[in-house]
Amino acid sequence: MKVKRFFAQSMAEALKQVSEQMGPDAVILSNRRVDGGVEIVTALDYDENMARQSLGDKAQDATNGSRLAEMQADQHRRLEDELGRSRDRIRDVREKRAKVGASYGGASFADLNEAASVGFSGAEVGGPAMPESFSGATGYSDELAQMRAEISSLRDMVSGRTAEPAKPVSNAVQQRLAERLLEFGLSSNLAGSLSRRHKGGRLDEGWKQSLKMLATGVRTSRHEWLDEGGVYALVGPTGSGKTTTIGKLAARHVLRHGSDSLVLVTTDRYRVAAHEQLFVFGRILNVPVRVVDESHSLDDILDELSDRHLVLIDTAGLTSTDKGYQEQLAELARSHHNIRTHLVVSATSQPRIMKSVWHCYKMANLAGCVMTKIDEALTLGESLGFVMETGLPVAYYTDGQKIPEDLHHAEAIPLVRLAVERLKKLQQQQAVAEGA
């Protein structure tokens, strides 16, 4: 796993550096404002299990995938800072040596500089060994011993020697609970973590405890967009339900507040006839639709719409390999308007695909997500596990094609209850099929 940190004056410039130096497969671990601009920490070949191993005991504090990525980024910053301080101290020793003109048995400071300049691509920190005659030189042995200890400590941190393997499920009840959580749709890591917290008692007690933990871990939005107002953008892959969800939101807004305070915007200028469905919604609801193109930038359009209560932005369903992907996300990220970007994820997707989509769109500063096609999924544990592990608040979920009836403001407990009902229905269907 290769981790790298980027600095730039703007988010667009930082994303451009990431694209040029790391390629389209880079995963954004964290992004934040710093003095003079923004900082992005990225990784290639990112693997959550490897990240947990490298963090060791600290990984227990990572309650979701988003927190784990942030902790991995924090560790990378600390390691870089430590190496920076080591380099500064080496420079000081070099200057002292130059001043006194001492001889150190032919040893070269280049050896030590090389040892402190190793990157974070998995190579061991240390480089060539320092000659004993050098480290034992009069007047500098203490400094060099301390630096050697620091570099050794950094070597341990990078190689993850303090990491411990994941704890196994310890008893029969926990094992049965983990199996039920897997059937519920949770990932093996999350199912194992929840089952291990049940220290004793019956299986049904552990099941209820796990569901309560799920309801606590699933974050939802407190306010409805239609009442709160603002600018919201929906991003996600083709077929996830972005445009249909916007149609449902728009129809409900018109029913509550009328059509005068709403505008629909699309940034999809990459596909032929990409705007047709949105324009159909606009004509039916008597709501204007604006298109972002070469002549009208997103910010220019939003400037004109500053008096509107609600602006809903539809985007192109692009992947990291598509032309315009980077441009579209940078356009959202660098806007001077407060665009609350939400990821649209289909509940029928496999967990790995959900995670992949999240990594693709994470750099758009996601404020939350919308779960779609709830009615088509066999189980909902995959969706609940996804939002719990990523930490994305769920704003809405949809469970059908009816506009606007099949749109629901998300709440954690009803979502978990719905997932339990879906599991019972699946089990009943399986029982009937086995008895036939």
Side-chain angles (χ1 to χ4, degrees):
M1 180 170 60
K2 179 181 180 182
V3 183
K4 191 168 184 179
R5 184 160 51 159
F6 295 88
F7 297 94
Q9 293 183 344
S10 67
M11 181 64 71
E13 294 176 10
L15 293 175
K16 183 178 180 181
Q17 291 182 27
V18 172
S19 177
E20 292 176 348
Q21 299 185 36
M22 302 287 278
D25 296 327
V27 172
I28 305 298
L29 299 182
S30 72
N31 61 82
R32 64 178 184 174
R33 296 280 180 185
V34 295
D35 292 341
V38 297
E39 173 205 88
I40 294 180
V41 180
T42 66
L44 279 179
D45 301 321
Y46 179 69
D47 182 271
E48 289 193 358
N49 290 329
M50 290 177 59
R52 288 188 179 276
Q53 291 177 7
S54 68
L55 290 170
D57 292 338
K58 295 179 181 179
Q60 296 179 2
D61 297 330
T63 56
N64 54 57
S66 179
R67 176 60 184 150
L68 180 67
E70 291 175 0
M71 292 176 66
Q72 182 72 35
D74 289 340
Q75 175 176 271
H76 179 72
R77 294 188 191 97
R78 288 196 300 272
L79 290 173
E80 277 201 336
D81 292 342
E82 287 293 332
L83 284 176
R85 283 191 288 269
S86 296
R87 294 188 188 102
D88 291 341
R89 295 183 63 194
I90 291 168
R91 192 180 303 111
D92 292 341
V93 174
R94 177 191 292 173
E95 292 175 355
K96 291 178 182 178
R97 176 179 179 272
K99 288 180 180 179
V100 300
S103 174
Y104 295 97
S108 170
F109 272 88
D111 295 331
L112 194 54
N113 281 327
E114 184 176 355
S117 300
V118 178
F120 291 90
S121 59
E124 180 174 293
V125 177
M130 291 181 290
E132 290 300 322
S133 59
F134 181 79
S135 60
T138 303
Y140 298 100
S141 59
D142 291 342
E143 291 92 337
L144 294 176
Q146 291 175 7
M147 284 184 281
R148 177 180 288 179
E150 289 177 1
I151 292 175
S152 177
S153 176
L154 289 173
R155 181 192 298 119
D156 290 341
M157 292 173 65
V158 172
S159 60
R161 292 177 186 174
T162 59
E164 297 180 357
K167 298 179 180 178
V169 174
S170 61
N171 59 51
V173 174
Q174 289 182 349
Q175 180 64 42
R176 289 167 60 195
L177 179 57
E179 291 172 356
R180 180 177 289 189
L181 292 170
L182 286 172
E183 189 179 6
F184 185 71
L186 299 183
S187 66
S188 57
N189 285 340
L190 185 53
S193 176
L194 291 176
S195 62
R196 284 191 296 271
R197 296 186 187 186
H198 181 54
K199 302 304 182 182
R202 301 190 308 272
L203 177 61
D204 59 341
E205 293 176 350
W207 174 247
K208 292 178 181 178
Q209 179 186 9
S210 297
L211 294 179
K212 288 180 180 179
M213 291 179 182
L214 268 177
T216 302
V218 173
R219 300 171 57 199
T220 55
S221 300
R222 295 182 180 180
H223 305 289
E224 280 218 49
W225 303 355
L226 312 183
D227 299 327
E228 186 177 13
V231 182
Y232 299 87
L234 298 187
V235 299
T238 301
S240 59
K242 298 185 299 296
T243 307
T244 303
T245 301
I246 283 182
K248 293 175 180 178
L249 287 164
R252 184 165 295 181
H253 183 276
V254 170
L255 289 174
R256 289 187 187 180
H257 306 288
S259 59
D260 294 338
S261 59
L262 171 67
V263 175
L264 308 181
V265 177
T266 177
T267 65
D268 193 349
R269 55 213 184 256
Y270 308 101
R271 299 174 302 166
V272 177
H275 316 138
E276 287 185 0
Q277 187 179 3
L278 200 65
F279 274 108
V280 169
F281 287 140
R283 286 194 297 270
I284 294 174
L285 299 172
N286 195 28
V287 172
V289 178
R290 300 292 303 274
V291 179
V292 176
D293 54 26
E294 291 75 12
S295 304
H296 305 86
S297 71
L298 178 60
D299 272 349
D300 288 342
I301 291 177
L302 294 180
D303 287 342
E304 298 175 13
L305 303 176
S306 58
D307 61 330
R308 300 300 177 107
H309 176 71
L310 182 65
V311 178
L312 300 176
I313 302 175
D314 193 15
T315 61
L318 304 177
T319 65
S320 58
T321 58
D322 290 326
K323 180 181 179 181
Y325 162 79
Q326 201 80 32
E327 177 186 10
Q328 180 173 246
L329 293 189
E331 192 172 40
L332 293 169
R334 72 187 179 209
S335 172
H336 60 262
H337 291 272
N338 180 26
I339 301 177
R340 283 168 274 193
T341 304
H342 284 64
L343 179 66
V344 179
V345 182
S346 169
T348 61
S349 299
Q350 297 176 359
R352 292 181 63 182
I353 294 178
M354 293 183 187
K355 276 291 188 67
S356 175
V357 168
W358 172 61
H359 284 307
C360 276
Y361 289 93
K362 187 178 178 182
M363 67 179 67
N365 297 327
L366 298 174
C369 69
V370 175
M371 301 303 304
T372 60
K373 305 182 182 180
I374 293 288
D375 57 313
E376 299 177 21
L378 288 177
T379 55
L380 300 182
E382 295 87 351
S383 301
L384 296 181
F386 167 76
V387 297
M388 186 172 178
E389 292 176 353
T390 59
L392 288 176
V394 188
Y396 294 92
Y397 68 90
T398 68
D399 57 0
Q401 297 297 317
K402 294 179 181 178
I403 298 176
E405 294 89 344
D406 295 334
L407 174 74
H408 311 277
H409 184 246
E411 295 181 27
I413 293 177
L415 271 174
V416 173
R417 187 180 297 120
L418 180 62
V420 173
E421 293 173 355
R422 189 62 56 83
L423 176 61
K424 290 181 180 178
K425 182 178 179 180
L426 176 63
Q427 292 172 336
Q428 291 171 355
Q429 292 173 345
Q430 291 174 341
V432 171
E434 291 173 359

